[in-house]
Amino acid sequence: MDKVGFFRSIHVKFVLIYVLLILIAMQVISVYFINNLEANLRNNYDNALKNNLDFFEFNAEQKILDAQQMKEATEDKNSTLRDDIAQLINETKDQNIKEVQVLNKDGVVLGSDKRNLIGQVSTNSKIKLALNGTEAQTEMYDPDSKQRVIVWAKPIIAGKEKQVDKNKQILGAIYVESSIESVYKQISDINKILTTGTVIALGITAILGIFLARTITRPMADMRKQALVMARGDFSRKVQVYGDDEIGQLSMTFNDLTRKLQEATAITESERRKLRSVLTYMTDGVIATDRDGCIILMNDRAEEMLNISRQHALGNTLLELLRLNDQYTWDELYNEYESMLLDFSTDKVHYVLRANFSVIQKEGGPVNGLIAVLHDVTEQEQIENERREFVFNVSHELRTPLTTMRSYLEALAEGAWQDENIAPRFLEVTQNETERMIRLVTDLLQLSKMDSKDYRFNFIQTDLVQFLQDIIERFEMLQHEHLHFVRNLPERSIMVQIDTDKMTQVVDNIISNAIKYSPEGGTISVSASLHGRKIKVSVADQGVGIPKNNVSKIFDRFFRVDRARSRDLGGTGLGLAITKEIVLAHGGDIWAESEWGQGTTIHFTLPLKKVRGE
C-alpha cells in the first residue's frame, strides 16, 4: 500500500481544520469587535468635538455680545474682541483640532490659529451655510497632511432659548477642522493587538491541535499497521490500547475483531485443507465452473478421467471438455440435466463416465456456476452388459435341449414309443439332453456360490507335483491309446496351500478341454516350473488352436470358439470360467497362449508356500 501524502494525512487535515476554525472564529470576533469599536470611538469623538464646539460657541457668543455693548471706538472694540477670541482659541483648542476660525455675521474672520486669515472675509461654502443658520458637518481627506479630518461649521446664535424662532439673531459662525486620525490609529493599534493575539492563539492552537491529533491518529495509524499485517495473514500483533475512551474502545474492538478473524481464518483454512484433501483423494472427478460455464476448479481424479492437465482445462468451457458443445447449450445443461452418460469409448477401449450436475446458487440469488461430478461406470456398464449377455446365454443354452426334448417327447407321445428301433434312440437323446441341462445348472450354481462372499475354500498344504502326477495318471487310465501325455514336472516336492477338490476341478477342466480338441495321436504336455515365489503350471495340446482375437475371451462365461463342436462334446461353456474363478480365489492368475492351427497352452500360477528340500 502506498504511503499517504503529507497533505492527505488525516493528521495534517485535523490540525489544519482545527487552526482554520480558530482563525475563522478570531476573524469573526475581530470584525464584529472592530466595527463596534470604531463606531463607539467615532461617536465618542463626535460627541467630544460637539461638546467642545458648544462650549466654544457659548464663550464666543459672550465675547461678541460683550463687544457689542462696549462704547469705545470701533477699532478698539474690534481689537479687544480679536484678542478675546484668540485667547479663547488658545484655551479651548486641543491637539486634534487643526484649524479654528471665529467669524462675525458678515463673514469676517475675528480669530483663527492661522494669523494670516484674521480680518479677511471667508468664502468657504460651509461657513456661508453657518452664517445662514445651518450647521454643516462633513468628513474629508486633507491631501497636504494626508489625514482624514472632520470639517464642522456652526452658527453662533444669540439667545439659545429662542433657537426655534425664525427671527433668531445670527452673531457669527465657528469653523473647525479636526483630525480623526487618532481614532483610526487606535483602531489600527487594536487591530495589531488582535492580529498578534490571533497569531499567538493560532500557534498555541496548532501545537495543541498536533498533540490532540496525535491522540486520535496514533491509534488509527496503529490500527492501519495492524490491518496491513492482518492482510499478510499475521494475526499475532495487537493494537495498543491508550485509554478507555471511544478510541480505546475502538482499539479493543479491533483486537477482538483480529482474534475472531484469526479463528475464522483458521476454520476456513482447516475446511479448505479438508476440501482439498477430499477432492484430491476422491474416487470421483469433480469439476467446478463459473456462471459462464468456464472451468475454475478440477481435482486430480478428473484430470485422470479426462486425460487432460489442469492448466489446459482451466478457462475452457465445460461443454468443450465433456465434448457436449455440439449437442447441448449451456442453458440446457444447467436447467434440464442432472445426470447423463458420457461415452469416451474408442475402437480399442470401452470407456463410459456418468456426469452428475449440481447448480451453484445462493438462496434466492442468481446461478454462480455448475459442479460436475464424474464417476467411472465403465465396469458397471460392462457388468450390466455381461449380465444381459449371461441371461441371454443361459436362456439360449437351456432352450436348445428343452426344444430337443420337447420334439422327441412329442414324437414318442404320438406313437413313436411303439417302434422298437426308434423309441430307444429317442429316449437316449432325451436322457443326454437332460444330463446336459443338469451339468449346466450345476455349473451355474457353482458359479453363483463362488460369486457369493460367504463361499469358503478348504485350503490344505499339498505337494503340487504329486497332485499333478495323480491327476495325469487318472486321465491316462481313462483315455484311449490315441493320446499321449508328456510330463515336465520338477523331481522335488513343491508345497502349496490349495483346496484339493477345487484345484482338481481346475486341472480336470483344462486337461479335458485339451483332450476334446486334440487330434488322433496327439500329445498333451503338462509342465510345472518355479517363477520367483510362484509356481506356474502349463497344459499344452496340439489341437486346432484359437483365433488370436478370441484368446482373451475363452475364460468368459458361455464363450465357445466352436459352439457346434462344444455342444457335441457335451460342453456347457462355463468350465474355463469356473476354472478362472477358482485360480483367482487361490491368489493366482490364469491365461492362454494359442495360434490358430498350432494348438493351445493354458497357464496358471499359484503362490508358493514352501519348497521341500530347500
Side-chain angles (χ1 to χ4, degrees), residues 247-298:
I247 297 178
Q249 292 178 357
L250 178 61
S251 299
M252 290 187 288
T253 304
F254 200 89
N255 288 334
D256 186 55
L257 173 64
T258 301
R259 180 181 57 80
K260 291 182 178 179
L261 186 60
Q262 182 179 12
E263 294 175 356
T265 303
I267 294 174
T268 303
E269 182 63 23
S270 176
E271 294 298 325
R272 188 175 66 85
R273 286 195 299 267
K274 291 179 182 177
L275 179 59
R276 187 194 305 123
S277 178
V278 169
L279 290 176
T280 301
Y281 295 103
M282 278 182 65
T283 57
D284 295 336
V286 178
I287 302 173
T289 73
D290 58 14
R291 65 180 61 191
D292 298 323
C294 294
I295 297 170
I296 58 176
L297 182 144
M298 174 185 285

Side-chain angles (χ1 to χ4, degrees), residues 12-26 198-199 201-210:
V12 175
K13 290 179 181 179
F14 189 90
V15 175
L16 288 177
I17 292 173
Y18 194 43
V19 169
L20 287 175
L21 288 175
I22 298 300
L23 180 60
I24 292 172
M26 292 296 293
T198 301
V199 172
L202 289 177
I204 297 173
T205 300
I207 295 172
L208 293 177
I210 291 172

Side-chain angles (χ1 to χ4, degrees), residues 288-570:
T289 73
D290 58 14
R291 65 180 61 191
D292 298 323
C294 294
I295 297 170
I296 58 176
L297 182 144
M298 174 185 285
N299 68 346
D300 296 342
R301 181 57 178 156
E303 291 185 67
E304 297 175 4
M305 286 181 169
L306 299 176
N307 192 25
I308 187 172
S309 65
R310 186 181 289 109
Q311 289 76 14
H312 290 87
L314 295 180
N316 293 329
T317 63
L318 183 64
L319 292 174
E320 293 177 355
L321 189 67
L322 301 183
R323 305 176 188 175
L324 300 174
N325 48 341
D326 294 335
Q327 306 174 35
Y328 307 99
T329 64
W330 173 243
D331 293 334
E332 291 175 345
L333 190 64
Y334 74 75
N335 284 330
E336 300 179 12
Y337 293 94
E338 295 182 356
S339 177
M340 66 172 58
L341 287 177
L342 307 174
D343 192 354
F344 293 95
S345 300
T346 62
D347 295 337
K348 298 181 179 180
V349 179
H350 181 64
Y351 189 44
V352 180
L353 298 178
R354 177 174 293 279
N356 296 309
F357 302 103
S358 176
V359 176
I360 305 174
Q361 183 178 18
K362 292 183 179 180
E363 185 175 357
V367 175
N368 293 324
L370 195 69
I371 292 180
V373 180
L374 305 179
H375 181 64
D376 188 354
V377 295
T378 304
E379 185 176 355
Q380 296 177 5
E381 288 293 312
Q382 289 178 342
I383 292 174
E384 183 65 21
N385 291 334
E386 290 176 358
R387 183 188 64 81
R388 289 192 292 266
E389 185 178 355
F390 178 76
V391 172
F392 173 78
N393 288 332
V394 169
S395 302
H396 181 73
E397 293 294 334
L398 289 176
R399 183 180 62 182
T400 300
L402 287 174
T403 302
T404 302
M405 290 174 60
R406 185 180 64 179
S407 300
Y408 280 90
L409 289 175
E410 287 177 353
L412 290 172
E414 291 176 358
W417 62 275
Q418 296 177 352
D419 191 331
E420 295 181 356
N421 296 323
I422 297 177
R425 187 163 57 87
F426 280 12
L427 290 175
E428 181 182 0
V429 172
T430 304
Q431 184 178 5
N432 291 336
E433 293 298 326
T434 302
E435 291 177 354
R436 178 181 166 192
M437 284 193 298
I438 292 174
R439 288 196 302 272
L440 177 61
V441 172
T442 301
D443 289 342
L444 288 173
L445 289 175
Q446 184 173 0
L447 281 173
S448 177
K449 289 179 181 180
M450 294 181 66
D451 290 337
S452 174
K453 296 181 180 179
D454 297 332
Y455 190 78
R456 295 290 182 269
F457 286 84
N458 184 23
F459 292 100
I460 59 174
Q461 187 166 294
T462 305
D463 181 2
L464 184 62
V465 176
Q466 186 61 44
F467 176 77
L468 294 174
Q469 293 279 13
D470 294 339
I471 294 176
I472 294 171
E473 290 177 357
R474 174 163 53 84
F475 273 98
E476 286 179 333
M477 292 178 62
L478 296 175
Q479 296 303 318
H480 300 288
E481 296 180 355
H482 66 278
L483 289 177
H484 177 63
F485 284 90
V486 176
R487 309 181 192 187
N488 297 315
L489 302 176
E491 295 181 356
R492 59 179 179 177
S493 299
I494 299 176
M495 307 304 294
V496 292
Q497 294 283 345
I498 59 173
D499 185 326
T500 54
D501 291 338
K502 298 297 183 289
M503 194 53 61
T504 299
Q505 186 177 359
V506 168
V507 179
D508 283 353
N509 283 337
I510 295 174
I511 295 178
S512 296
N513 284 334
I515 293 173
K516 290 177 184 178
Y517 295 100
S518 292
E520 291 287 338
T523 300
I524 298 175
S525 300
V526 179
S527 60
S529 59
L530 293 174
H531 293 269
R533 300 303 299 173
K534 291 185 176 182
I535 182 170
K536 182 174 76 170
V537 179
S538 302
V539 178
D541 61 47
Q542 296 177 339
V544 295
I546 303 171
K548 187 174 182 180
N549 59 338
N550 290 333
V551 172
S552 59
K553 300 178 182 179
I554 64 172
F555 296 101
D556 295 343
R557 298 177 184 183
F558 293 107
F559 179 80
R560 296 187 180 93
V561 178
D562 187 348
R563 291 183 176 272
R565 184 178 181 188
S566 296
R567 287 196 185 96
D568 292 340
L569 296 175

Side-chain angles (χ1 to χ4, degrees), residues 159-192:
K160 288 292 183 179
E161 67 280 357
K162 298 179 181 179
Q163 284 184 7
V164 295
D165 189 358
K166 294 182 179 180
N167 297 320
K168 56 188 175 182
Q169 183 182 1
I170 305 298
L171 298 178
I174 300 173
Y175 178 81
V176 176
E177 290 184 7
S178 178
S179 175
I180 60 173
E181 286 296 327
S182 60
V183 174
Y184 290 104
K185 187 177 184 303
Q186 290 180 14
I187 294 173
S188 178
D189 293 340
I190 294 173
N191 271 330
K192 291 179 181 178

